[in-house]
Short mmCIF file of all heavy atoms in Angstrom, two decimals:
data_model
loop_
_atom_site.label_atom_id
_atom_site.label_comp_id
_atom_site.label_asym_id
_atom_site.label_seq_id
_atom_site.Cartn_x
_atom_site.Cartn_y
_atom_site.Cartn_z
N THR A 764 28.26 12.27 -4.48
CA THR A 764 26.99 12.93 -4.19
C THR A 764 27.25 14.19 -3.42
O THR A 764 28.36 14.46 -2.96
CB THR A 764 26.09 12.01 -3.36
OG1 THR A 764 26.77 11.67 -2.15
CG2 THR A 764 25.78 10.71 -4.11
N SER A 765 26.21 14.96 -3.26
CA SER A 765 26.30 16.22 -2.51
C SER A 765 25.01 16.44 -1.78
O SER A 765 23.97 15.88 -2.12
CB SER A 765 26.61 17.40 -3.44
OG SER A 765 25.68 17.45 -4.50
N ILE A 766 25.11 17.22 -0.73
CA ILE A 766 23.94 17.50 0.10
C ILE A 766 23.44 18.89 -0.25
O ILE A 766 24.20 19.87 -0.26
CB ILE A 766 24.31 17.42 1.58
CG1 ILE A 766 24.82 16.01 1.92
CG2 ILE A 766 23.13 17.78 2.47
CD1 ILE A 766 25.32 15.87 3.31
N VAL A 767 22.16 18.97 -0.49
CA VAL A 767 21.53 20.24 -0.87
C VAL A 767 20.87 20.83 0.35
O VAL A 767 20.06 20.16 1.00
CB VAL A 767 20.50 20.03 -2.00
CG1 VAL A 767 19.89 21.35 -2.39
CG2 VAL A 767 21.15 19.35 -3.17
N SER A 768 21.24 22.03 0.64
CA SER A 768 20.69 22.65 1.83
C SER A 768 19.30 23.21 1.59
O SER A 768 18.52 23.30 2.49
CB SER A 768 21.62 23.79 2.32
OG SER A 768 21.72 24.76 1.29
N GLY A 769 18.99 23.57 0.40
CA GLY A 769 17.68 24.13 0.11
C GLY A 769 16.79 23.12 -0.58
O GLY A 769 17.13 21.97 -0.76
N GLY A 770 15.61 23.51 -1.03
CA GLY A 770 14.69 22.63 -1.75
C GLY A 770 14.95 22.72 -3.23
O GLY A 770 16.02 23.11 -3.71
N TYR A 771 13.98 22.33 -4.01
CA TYR A 771 14.09 22.40 -5.45
C TYR A 771 14.18 23.85 -5.87
O TYR A 771 13.50 24.70 -5.34
CB TYR A 771 12.86 21.76 -6.12
CG TYR A 771 12.80 20.26 -5.94
CD1 TYR A 771 11.92 19.70 -5.02
CD2 TYR A 771 13.65 19.44 -6.67
CE1 TYR A 771 11.86 18.35 -4.85
CE2 TYR A 771 13.58 18.09 -6.49
CZ TYR A 771 12.70 17.54 -5.59
OH TYR A 771 12.64 16.19 -5.43
N GLY A 772 15.00 24.09 -6.83
CA GLY A 772 15.17 25.45 -7.30
C GLY A 772 16.12 26.25 -6.49
O GLY A 772 16.21 27.45 -6.70
N GLY A 773 16.85 25.64 -5.51
CA GLY A 773 17.82 26.36 -4.69
C GLY A 773 19.06 26.68 -5.49
O GLY A 773 19.32 26.12 -6.55
N THR A 774 19.91 27.54 -4.95
CA THR A 774 21.13 27.96 -5.63
C THR A 774 22.23 26.96 -5.36
O THR A 774 22.15 26.12 -4.49
CB THR A 774 21.55 29.35 -5.14
OG1 THR A 774 21.79 29.24 -3.73
CG2 THR A 774 20.48 30.39 -5.39
N ALA A 775 23.31 27.09 -6.12
CA ALA A 775 24.47 26.17 -5.97
C ALA A 775 25.30 26.50 -4.73
O ALA A 775 26.19 25.75 -4.37
CB ALA A 775 25.35 26.25 -7.23
N GLU A 776 25.06 27.63 -4.11
CA GLU A 776 25.85 27.98 -2.92
C GLU A 776 25.54 27.07 -1.73
O GLU A 776 26.37 26.90 -0.85
CB GLU A 776 25.56 29.43 -2.51
CG GLU A 776 26.02 30.43 -3.57
CD GLU A 776 25.66 31.84 -3.19
OE1 GLU A 776 24.97 32.02 -2.15
OE2 GLU A 776 26.07 32.77 -3.90
N GLY A 777 24.39 26.45 -1.71
CA GLY A 777 24.00 25.57 -0.59
C GLY A 777 24.50 24.15 -0.73
O GLY A 777 24.21 23.32 0.12
N ILE A 778 25.28 23.80 -1.78
CA ILE A 778 25.75 22.42 -2.02
C ILE A 778 27.07 22.23 -1.31
O ILE A 778 27.99 23.00 -1.50
CB ILE A 778 25.88 22.17 -3.54
CG1 ILE A 778 24.51 22.33 -4.21
CG2 ILE A 778 26.48 20.80 -3.78
CD1 ILE A 778 24.57 22.25 -5.72
N ILE A 779 27.16 21.16 -0.46
CA ILE A 779 28.38 20.82 0.29
C ILE A 779 28.81 19.42 -0.13
O ILE A 779 28.06 18.46 0.07
CB ILE A 779 28.14 20.86 1.81
CG1 ILE A 779 27.62 22.23 2.22
CG2 ILE A 779 29.40 20.49 2.58
CD1 ILE A 779 27.20 22.31 3.67
N PRO A 780 29.94 19.25 -0.76
CA PRO A 780 30.38 17.90 -1.15
C PRO A 780 30.67 17.06 0.09
O PRO A 780 31.14 17.53 1.10
CB PRO A 780 31.65 18.16 -1.97
CG PRO A 780 32.14 19.48 -1.50
CD PRO A 780 30.93 20.28 -1.15
N THR A 781 30.41 15.73 -0.06
CA THR A 781 30.58 14.78 1.08
C THR A 781 32.05 14.55 1.39
O THR A 781 32.39 14.21 2.51
CB THR A 781 29.92 13.45 0.74
OG1 THR A 781 30.49 12.93 -0.46
CG2 THR A 781 28.43 13.61 0.55
#
Side-chain angles (χ1 to χ4, degrees):
T764 59
S765 53
I766 300 175
V767 181
S768 60
Y771 291 104
T774 60
E776 295 177 356
I778 299 174
I779 303 173
T781 58

